[in-house]
Amino acid sequence: MQVQFCGLTLNGCVYNASGPRTGSSDALAKVGSSKSCAILTKSATLLPQNGNPLPRTYTSPNFSINSEGLPNKSIDYYIDSETIKESVLDSGKPYFVSISGKSLDDNVEMMKRICKAPGVAGIELNLACPNVIGHPIIAYDMVQLRSALKTVASLSLPLPIGIKLPPYFDFIHYQKAAEIINEYKSTISYIVTMNTVGNTLMISPHSGSPVISPKGGYGGLSGPAVKPIALAQVRKFSELLDPSIDIVGVGGVQSGQDVYDMILCGAKVVQVGTCHWIEGPKCFDRIVEEFEEICRKNGVKELEEIRGKLKEWSKKGAALDRQGRKSEPKTSAKGGAKFQSTLDDSSFLLLSVAVVVMIQVLLVLLAQALGHLDVPAVAQFMDNLKA
Ligand code: SIN
């Protein structure tokens, strides 16, 4: 299904988030040759940098934590014509560049350089990285957010500009951020919500210490566990932002259903980050195919039919939910490991009773058979059994 985004026609609505596996043209080419509808680079800085000390990533089935500290090859690498050519190859997909400068001046300089480079479709300005040591998350500071957007607006850049936001948790913070972004609606084409949940901590039960090394173990949380937070961002911002500003949903997306949910909440397109990191670029093919299958089942032909169409809670909906959940694979409470089971609780009880009865019948049959054998020890045993 085609989507109009930033004045471009995208062949689909799923692409990669800026993050792991996006730092080099080799990695980006793999995204380009998958069913991802666009290509987005790792957040660049003015100069190349190695990022934070290792180990700086941790993964588990339900969540991941990273404090990479923006390792990247520099803006000049990502806008180099060779890099773009090697990344896009013959896919013809739009190539977006993410930037996360150490200062507003750095961001301005990078934006100017990007606009001079042919082949870039748009700029994602990351105002939400939680992992740069000594730098707070820009978009939590409303004064800084307004000043950044004011400066960007003053540049009158010819490319579409998106801003990547951190997750907000209080409605007043959403309102304040949306108010500022709406003031610059003629400059900001889209928001990307959300970056990781900043400064979370995981401790190894084996060592009693944090699982990653930088920043005392604090890092950004991502993966399936953050999906409800991401859905809330997309939903809330779709209520508050001017309709001319598109929303890119990102956070915990790992299936076609996750994409569907993001669109129901109001996302125009959806990015995949942690799942891409863990599963590799083939995740785009799987997720897109799953999403298309769900759309087919639901008779959806255009994304506009479902965009922002989240239904209100109702008793009828709750009953459908209860019924539907009975047929879902069960998830164990311990450690979140998934096990597949096609049995619900009552079927399991019936099966257990049947197995016990069968064992008893077999024991009786065995005892009868043994009773007919002329072995003194067995005869003695059978007598004892009867007694
Ligand atoms: C990182 O490189 O630390 C992750 C990028 C981000 O969270 O913006």
Side-chain angles (χ1 to χ4, degrees):
M1 272 179 258
Q2 293 194 323
V3 178
Q4 300 303 318
F5 175 64
C6 286
L8 300 160
T9 302
L10 301 182
N11 272 324
C13 63
V14 179
Y15 70 113
N16 70 290
S18 175
R21 296 183 188 271
T22 60
S24 69
S25 57
D26 274 0
L28 294 170
K30 287 179 187 148
V31 173
S33 55
S34 75
K35 289 193 174 173
S36 172
C37 66
I39 302 167
L40 172 65
T41 69
K42 173 77 183 164
S43 291
T45 48
L46 211 45
L47 297 173
Q49 55 182 40
N50 293 327
N52 292 339
L54 302 172
R56 58 195 184 193
T57 58
Y58 171 83
T59 60
S60 75
N62 289 333
F63 67 90
S64 298
I65 294 185
N66 90 79
S67 180
E68 292 211 288
L70 301 169
N72 76 93
K73 293 176 185 284
S74 85
I75 189 61
D76 288 339
Y77 171 81
Y78 296 108
I79 59 173
D80 184 79
S81 59
E82 274 305 299
T83 307
I84 300 178
K85 204 168 105 194
E86 286 166 15
S87 302
V88 177
L89 295 171
D90 54 2
S91 72
K93 291 180 181 169
Y95 180 89
F96 289 87
V97 175
S98 167
I99 57 169
S100 188
K102 285 187 193 302
S103 64
L104 188 50
D105 284 349
D106 281 10
N107 281 328
V108 168
E109 175 58 29
M110 287 193 281
M111 287 190 188
K112 286 182 177 166
R113 287 192 202 177
I114 294 171
C115 290
K116 285 190 196 131
V120 179
I123 302 174
E124 184 179 298
L125 173 60
N126 182 357
L127 299 176
C129 180
N131 304 329
V132 182
I133 297 166
H135 284 254
I137 297 168
I138 297 169
Y140 279 151
D141 176 345
M142 299 300 158
V143 175
Q144 269 203 76
L145 176 62
R146 178 173 270 115
S147 139
L149 299 194
K150 191 175 171 195
T151 305
V152 176
S154 72
L155 300 173
S156 301
L157 299 169
L159 284 176
I161 313 288
I163 50 169
K164 187 160 184 182
L165 298 172
Y168 296 98
F169 297 95
D170 198 298
F171 288 169
I172 191 74
H173 296 148
Y174 283 103
Q175 269 163 22
K176 285 190 171 150
E179 218 174 271
I180 296 168
I181 297 164
N182 282 338
E183 278 173 34
Y184 295 96
K185 64 181 183 203
S186 51
T187 300
I188 302 305
S189 303
Y190 63 100
I191 65 158
V192 181
T193 179
M194 58 183 214
N195 205 318
T196 54
V197 179
N199 300 317
T200 60
L201 186 64
M202 179 66 186
I203 295 170
S204 161
H206 309 292
S207 68
S209 54
V211 290
I212 58 170
S213 137
K215 280 186 77 180
Y218 292 93
L221 185 72
S222 65
V226 308
K227 179 184 158 187
I229 304 173
L231 288 177
Q233 310 299 308
V234 173
R235 175 73 170 156
K236 203 66 192 152
F237 276 116
S238 74
E239 289 165 5
L240 297 171
L241 285 182
D242 187 273
S244 65
I245 301 172
D246 284 334
I247 298 175
V248 180
V250 51
V253 173
Q254 58 170 0
S255 69
Q257 185 62 54
D258 297 336
V259 174
Y260 198 89
D261 294 348
M262 282 283 191
I263 308 246
L264 281 183
C265 286
K268 190 86 186 244
V269 281
V270 174
Q271 292 180 352
V272 180
T274 301
C275 181
H276 175 209
W277 171 20
I278 291 169
E279 192 178 326
K282 65 180 184 333
C283 76
F284 296 106
D285 299 358
R286 178 183 61 73
I287 292 171
V288 167
E289 281 157 24
E290 286 173 9
F291 177 67
E292 287 172 352
E293 179 59 23
I294 295 171
C295 288
R296 251 192 309 277
K297 269 194 194 149
N298 293 345
V300 176
K301 296 207 166 55
E302 301 288 335
L303 292 187
E304 291 315 313
E305 294 166 30
I306 55 167
R307 192 180 324 286
K309 302 282 167 53
L310 182 65
K311 292 181 196 160
E312 297 219 335
W313 187 92
S314 67
K315 283 189 177 168
K316 194 176 156 208
L320 283 171
D321 179 55
R322 275 196 302 276
Q323 207 181 0
R325 279 206 263 165
K326 279 189 190 160
S327 59
E328 277 175 7
K330 287 202 165 46
T331 305
S332 86
K334 261 194 182 176
K338 266 200 169 168
F339 69 93
Q340 299 288 323
S341 167
T342 49
L343 298 174
D344 60 20
D345 291 348
S346 52
S347 315
F348 184 73
L349 193 69
L350 268 176
L351 187 68
S352 309
V353 170
V355 169
V356 170
V357 168
M358 271 167 61
I359 291 171
Q360 282 177 342
V361 169
L362 278 173
L363 279 175
V364 168
L365 287 174
L366 185 68
Q368 279 181 349
L370 289 174
H372 288 101
L373 292 178
D374 193 16
V375 179
V378 171
Q380 179 68 47
F381 173 75
M382 291 307 298
D383 286 347
N384 289 346
L385 202 62
K386 281 174 197 158

